[in-house]
Amino acid sequence: MKRAKLDLFVSLSRKRSIQILICVGLLYILLVSLEVPFVFKAGFSAVTPDGFNDPLSKPFALESEEELARKEAPIRPLKNPFRVPNQSPKSRPERRIREYKILSSLDVDGSIVNITGKDGFSGILKHAKEAFELGKKLWEELELGSDDQNSDRKVENRTESCPHSISMSGTEFWEKNRMMVLPCGLTLGSHITVVGKPKKAHPEQDPKISLLKEGQQAMVSQFMMELQGLKTVDGEDPPRILHYNPRLKGDWSGKPVIEQNTCYRMQWGLAHRCEGWKSKADEENVDDHVKCEKWIRDDDDHSESSKVTWWLNRLIGRTKKVTFDWPFPFAEEKLFVLTLSAGLEGYHIYVDGRHVTSFPYRTGFALEDATGLSLNGDLDVHSIFAASLPTSHPNFSPQRHLDMSTEWKAPPLPNGPVELFIGILSAGNHFAERMAVRMSWMRHKLVQSSNVVARFFVA
């Protein structure tokens, strides 16, 4: 009896196990049937080794066949892109307009890479991320280089990059930090006119142009006009091609003076001072102009009587040459018109229509280097005019003037054999150095008369 009950219990337990297995199988089939559409709908990227719906992963969005064809060959697209047949226009996905850059349309984002793991796959991802970042940086540098080349081509194609003349009011000059930009510098015959008024003298306890004892102060009135080279070297101040400094009051000499100088590579040269004495007869002139004209050095008021005497002598018809001394060209709170002109040998300064000073060109500077005019100090600027500026690259302008000048033209080649040939190497902007050679040993009688040929090699 007990044996029969045991067999019945075993058979019932087997049937129950089979029923449980069948239920588990049906449940598995049901889950699989529900999971497969979800996978196809969300994309395989939704499944990660750590689970579903990882927020760091991005789904892979399927696009139209047209976009896929364009992406696979962005440089040489398909002539006849594949289209799905029997597809209505309304059912087509909307075509998105994208901006493709010149060099590449890759959009690499390595920030989503997880490199915290310790397995070998994380190391590969780390190197891939570094490669992505380096490649993106190189693409950006190449794109910037292409943009610079395009901008350079635009600048070269501009025909009005070198204006013939520039005018500026005092207000505009003040708004531009007291600087007038000369895009192509100066050339032979260029001139700049400044209309201004010196300010009244003011006291200073530490003036740079006079020596004072402790506790003393001096009345100072001065201004500076400078031709600067705006294309400077990194870490250096702009070079002063011409520093013109009229000192109405405050100079250590106690008299009004005009000081001229240059500053090359932040090193000032030897200052040239005009103190009211005319340059000596044996001193070298600049384009047949003296470096310093004479003016009245004392502060009396006999200038008006001197003018009357001069005009009376002219009316009487006196044959003897009459000399007249002009006062200092600048006065406090009095308007003046200053003109700076570029000659063959140097700069010439005219104030109120008469020549005042001349300053020869110095080594290291050329006319095209003067790309900016600045005015500082005790001065109110009313207006500035620059005319006869070069309309092309000024390196060729001095050459054209020398070709037209017979004085500095090299003698023709001799018919017979040459005894000595001298080649002078020079740079394109070393115009002053070439003029120094033309005015010195190239004018020697042995070079002019004998069978000697000297030529410049400009590069």
Side-chain angles (χ1 to χ4, degrees), residues 221-379:
S221 178
Q222 65 166 345
F223 67 91
M224 287 72 68
M225 181 182 68
E226 293 181 342
L227 286 175
Q228 298 181 2
L230 300 183
K231 299 177 181 180
T232 60
V233 182
D234 293 339
E236 295 185 0
D237 295 335
R240 274 79 167 177
I241 301 173
L242 173 63
H243 174 80
Y244 190 79
N245 180 207
R247 300 174 178 177
L248 286 68
K249 283 187 178 181
D251 187 73
W252 57 268
S253 64
K255 300 290 183 180
V257 300
I258 297 176
E259 186 171 293
Q260 302 170 100
N261 204 347
T262 58
C263 182
Y264 180 70
R265 304 298 293 269
M266 301 181 68
Q267 298 293 327
W268 287 98
L270 181 63
H272 181 73
R273 291 169 58 90
C274 294
E275 301 178 309
W277 306 106
K278 191 172 183 178
S279 300
K280 298 180 181 179
D282 57 349
E283 191 173 355
E284 184 180 2
N285 293 343
V286 183
D287 291 326
D288 296 332
H289 290 287
V290 295
K291 295 181 179 179
C292 297
E293 297 285 355
K294 179 178 175 57
W295 61 72
I296 301 173
R297 300 187 75 249
D298 52 5
D299 297 332
D300 55 10
D301 297 330
H302 71 278
S303 58
E304 295 297 332
S305 60
S306 300
K307 292 180 182 179
V308 174
T309 305
W310 186 82
W311 278 108
L312 288 175
N313 292 330
R314 293 281 295 177
L315 292 174
I316 295 173
R318 199 170 167 182
T319 57
K320 185 179 179 180
K321 184 178 180 180
V322 179
T323 60
F324 178 76
D325 295 335
W326 295 90
F328 187 70
F330 305 100
E332 300 176 36
E333 298 183 335
K334 289 186 179 180
L335 202 68
F336 68 86
V337 179
L338 182 148
T339 300
L340 166 67
S341 64
L344 189 64
E345 301 175 359
Y347 298 103
H348 307 287
I349 306 295
Y350 299 85
V351 180
D352 296 337
R354 62 187 181 92
H355 177 261
V356 177
T357 61
S358 292
F359 188 73
Y361 299 129
R362 287 189 175 178
T363 305
F365 298 112
L367 287 173
E368 61 267 24
D369 295 335
T371 54
L373 174 73
S374 67
L375 288 165
N376 295 295
D378 306 322
L379 179 67

Side-chain angles (χ1 to χ4, degrees), residues 49-300:
D50 298 333
F52 293 93
N53 298 330
D54 189 357
L56 295 178
S57 61
K58 293 184 177 180
F60 179 80
L62 295 177
E63 297 179 351
S64 63
E65 295 291 339
E66 181 182 359
E67 291 183 351
L68 291 176
R70 178 164 53 84
K71 282 187 175 181
E72 291 175 357
I75 300 177
R76 188 175 54 191
L78 298 176
K79 295 182 180 179
N80 299 319
F82 175 76
R83 296 181 182 274
V84 180
N86 299 328
Q87 186 177 11
S88 62
K90 296 182 179 179
S91 63
R92 295 176 185 175
E94 183 181 359
R95 185 176 180 180
R96 291 173 292 182
I97 300 176
R98 298 182 180 180
E99 180 182 0
Y100 285 90
K101 297 182 180 180
I102 299 175
L103 296 177
S104 175
S105 61
L106 295 176
D107 187 10
V108 179
D109 187 6
S111 61
I112 64 173
V113 179
N114 186 11
I115 60 175
T116 58
K118 297 182 179 180
D119 53 351
F121 187 70
S122 62
I124 297 176
L125 292 179
K126 180 179 179 181
H127 292 298
K129 180 181 179 181
E130 294 177 355
F132 284 155
E133 292 177 353
L134 181 60
K136 188 175 182 180
K137 183 179 180 181
L138 292 176
W139 280 124
E140 291 176 355
E141 292 178 357
L142 289 174
E143 290 172 355
L144 291 176
S146 63
D147 294 340
D148 294 341
Q149 292 178 1
N150 295 333
S151 61
D152 292 340
R153 295 191 190 101
K154 292 179 182 179
V155 173
E156 291 176 358
N157 294 332
R158 286 189 304 176
T159 57
E160 298 181 357
S161 58
C162 299
H164 184 267
S165 61
I166 302 174
S167 62
M168 187 178 297
S169 63
T171 305
E172 295 175 351
F173 186 70
W174 180 268
E175 292 176 352
K176 294 185 178 181
N177 297 325
R178 292 174 173 254
M179 176 69 67
M180 170 184 276
V181 178
L182 307 172
C184 295
L186 302 176
T187 185
L188 295 178
S190 299
H191 54 88
I192 303 173
T193 301
V194 178
V195 181
K197 181 187 296 184
K199 296 181 181 179
K200 194 173 182 179
H202 61 279
E204 286 190 11
Q205 294 183 352
D206 186 20
K208 306 298 182 181
I209 58 177
S210 62
L211 300 176
L212 297 177
K213 295 181 180 180
E214 187 176 356
Q216 291 182 344
Q217 63 181 7
M219 301 299 293
V220 178
S221 178
Q222 65 166 345
F223 67 91
M224 287 72 68
M225 181 182 68
E226 293 181 342
L227 286 175
Q228 298 181 2
L230 300 183
K231 299 177 181 180
T232 60
V233 182
D234 293 339
E236 295 185 0
D237 295 335
R240 274 79 167 177
I241 301 173
L242 173 63
H243 174 80
Y244 190 79
N245 180 207
R247 300 174 178 177
L248 286 68
K249 283 187 178 181
D251 187 73
W252 57 268
S253 64
K255 300 290 183 180
V257 300
I258 297 176
E259 186 171 293
Q260 302 170 100
N261 204 347
T262 58
C263 182
Y264 180 70
R265 304 298 293 269
M266 301 181 68
Q267 298 293 327
W268 287 98
L270 181 63
H272 181 73
R273 291 169 58 90
C274 294
E275 301 178 309
W277 306 106
K278 191 172 183 178
S279 300
K280 298 180 181 179
D282 57 349
E283 191 173 355
E284 184 180 2
N285 293 343
V286 183
D287 291 326
D288 296 332
H289 290 287
V290 295
K291 295 181 179 179
C292 297
E293 297 285 355
K294 179 178 175 57
W295 61 72
I296 301 173
R297 300 187 75 249
D298 52 5
D299 297 332
D300 55 10

Side-chain angles (χ1 to χ4, degrees), residues 427-439:
N429 59 349
H430 289 178
F431 173 71
E433 287 81 349
R434 292 193 293 273
M435 284 304 304
V437 174
R438 292 187 183 98
M439 296 173 60

